[in-house]
């Protein structure tokens, strides 16, 4: 097993766990991970045994701390490579949003930048009470996908979305719950158990009612 990647496990009840793994960098998403997420979403979309998809981070420190900026000098060194990188992330977000199954993001620790963008591709977000959420694009002087802006508007509405983008500040889980950025906040010690029960109930529902 490499030091980073996207892992996937299938439970007998049809729940699939997709795990972002880059523990040395708080699960920051590398280019290969973006590419694997895209391919995996395509595979899961056509698998009739999949009832629910859960997105989570490896370990307990982070869902994902953003894109792995340590590789930007290689993969975003000029306009051409930057455009190719952006195209890769855009198609990954589109593939996650297009999944026909319910998608739940289980959040804990850091959920920042590209990590939060991935979480926003889920239908539902369950967060541990110590989760920190942020879109720091304005602070970093970076552009943001129009599809990502549209998705944030869908989730929290224009006023909250404007604050998230313009201030680039960090939100606690409680603050995120108050503006609809997450659906549930639970104690970090019970997060995984709660999420398993939560998605198990979704998986047990009639599948045609969830399309």
């Amino acid at each position: 097993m490499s030091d980073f990647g996207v892992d996937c496990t299938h439970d007998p009840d049809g729940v699939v766990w997709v795990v972002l793994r880059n523990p040395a960098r708080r699960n920051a998403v590398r280019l290969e991970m973006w590419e694997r997420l895209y391919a995996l979403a395509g595979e899961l979309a056509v698998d009739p045994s999949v009832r629910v998809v859960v997105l989570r981070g490896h370990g307990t420190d982070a869902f994902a701390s953003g894109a792995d900026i340590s590789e930007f000098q290689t993969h975003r060194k000029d306009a051409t490579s930057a455009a190719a990188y952006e195209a890769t992330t855009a198609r990954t977000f589109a593939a996650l949003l297009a999944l026909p199954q319910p998608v739940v993001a289980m959040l804990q620790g850091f959920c920042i930048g590209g990590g939060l963008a991935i979480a926003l591709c889920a239908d539902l977000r369950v967060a541990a009470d110590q989760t920190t959420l942020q879109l720091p694009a304005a602070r970093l002087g970076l552009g943001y996908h129009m599809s990502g802006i549209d998705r944030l508007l869908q989730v929290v509405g224009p006023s909250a979305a404007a604050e998230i983008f313009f201030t680039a500040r960090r939100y606690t889980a409680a603050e995120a719950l108050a503006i609809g950025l997450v659906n549930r906040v639970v104690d970090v010690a019970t997060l995984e158990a709660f999420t398993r029960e939560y998605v198990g109930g979704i998986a047990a529902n009639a599948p045609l009612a969830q399309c």
Side-chain angles (χ1 to χ4, degrees):
M1 180 182 294
S2 68
D3 294 335
F4 61 87
V6 178
D7 305 320
C8 182
T9 59
H10 294 243
D11 287 350
D13 59 357
V15 176
V16 174
W17 294 77
V18 176
V19 184
L20 305 172
R21 176 173 51 80
N22 187 4
R25 302 191 64 84
R26 291 175 170 165
N27 298 328
V29 185
R30 295 177 62 86
L31 178 60
E32 295 92 337
M33 295 168 67
W34 290 114
E35 292 170 339
R36 176 57 183 149
L37 265 178
Y38 170 74
L40 185 57
E43 295 167 13
L44 297 176
V46 296
D47 187 340
S49 71
V50 178
R51 302 295 301 275
V52 182
V53 177
V54 183
L55 305 173
R56 64 163 298 172
H58 173 83
T60 59
D61 289 342
F63 175 75
S65 59
D68 192 339
I69 62 174
S70 69
E71 62 176 9
F72 278 12
Q73 288 187 341
T74 301
H75 297 305
R76 297 181 57 134
K77 62 184 178 181
D78 53 36
T80 300
S81 60
Y85 184 96
E86 291 300 317
T88 297
T89 58
R91 71 175 187 170
T92 300
F93 295 139
L96 291 171
L97 286 167
L99 279 167
Q101 303 93 344
V103 181
V104 178
M106 188 185 88
L107 312 178
Q108 58 183 323
F110 293 97
C111 182
I112 308 293
L116 181 51
I118 292 172
L120 282 165
C121 292
D123 300 295
L124 301 166
R125 283 155 294 282
V126 177
D129 53 6
Q130 42 70 283
T131 304
T132 298
L133 306 97
Q134 182 186 25
L135 287 179
R139 184 169 298 173
L140 300 174
L142 298 174
Y144 203 80
H145 291 291
M146 183 56 68
S147 62
I149 295 173
D150 288 342
R151 179 58 180 162
L152 185 63
L153 285 167
Q154 291 173 5
V155 172
V156 301
S159 180
E163 183 185 70
I164 290 168
F165 277 116
F166 294 162
T167 67
R169 75 176 184 87
R170 293 190 174 187
Y171 286 75
T172 66
E175 290 172 327
L177 180 65
I179 62 174
L181 188 56
V182 301
N183 299 88
R184 297 293 188 98
V185 174
V186 300
D187 186 276
V188 63
T190 62
L191 176 64
E192 184 166 343
F194 175 89
T195 304
R196 287 188 178 277
E197 182 177 0
Y198 188 69
V199 299
I202 295 172
N205 290 333
L208 292 179
Q210 298 175 352
C211 294

